Amino acid sequence: MDIHNPATNEVIGRVPQATKAEMDAAVSSCKRAFPAWADTSILSRQQVLLRYQQLIKENLKEIARLITLEQGKTLADAEGDVFRGLHNLTLRNPFTRQVSVSSLCRWSCHSGLTRA
């Protein structure tokens, strides 16, 4: 499938179009992976999301450039999109917030866990 720059209609890339079998395989893979993720500790999940956040920060300019090519936005608008996404990941996701000791204690008490 061709990817076009909407500002110029130039073909800027090609991506394969997934078949139904490939989509079904991807969904099955996700279903198999979910139990392991569900059993992952909150602190481990936090580390994954913090790393994701760091990768976005490190690649902000490139991500914005690709958004500009794919969507025809100005670079400033595309950078704003990336910043807003990063803001949502940082501030609205409980795993990326700083977790205090007292909040961990409150969480453990409510979840039936006790201190050693």
Side-chain angles (χ1 to χ4, degrees):
M1 174 182 339
D2 291 341
I3 300 173
H4 294 266
N5 177 331
T8 64
N9 204 31
E10 173 190 2
V11 175
I12 57 172
R14 291 190 53 81
V15 294
Q17 187 166 349
T19 65
K20 181 177 182 331
E22 290 169 327
M23 292 301 297
D24 290 343
V27 169
S28 293
S29 177
C30 291
K31 286 180 179 178
R32 286 190 309 276
F34 181 75
W37 179 252
D39 288 340
T40 302
S41 74
I42 190 169
L43 296 177
S44 293
R45 291 180 190 202
Q46 181 184 40
Q47 291 302 308
V48 169
L49 291 172
L50 288 172
R51 179 64 180 134
Y52 179 52
Q53 182 182 12
Q54 185 61 37
L55 287 169
I56 292 171
K57 287 178 184 178
E58 290 171 5
N59 295 284
L60 188 139
K61 295 287 187 188
E62 178 63 10
I63 295 168
R65 186 186 73 76
L66 292 172
I67 290 171
T68 298
L69 286 174
E70 280 189 2
Q71 298 180 14
K73 294 183 175 192
T74 65
L75 188 56
D77 193 18
E79 287 177 355
D81 286 351
V82 178
F83 278 119
R84 281 186 294 282
L86 188 57
H87 174 79
N88 285 331
L89 178 64
T90 304
L91 297 179
R92 291 187 168 70
N93 192 317
F95 296 123
T96 60
R97 291 191 195 128
Q98 186 73 335
V99 179
S100 68
V101 172
S102 62
S103 65
L104 279 175
C105 291
R106 282 194 304 276
W107 174 80
S108 65
C109 292
H110 291 295
S111 64
L113 299 175
T114 58
R115 288 189 226 185

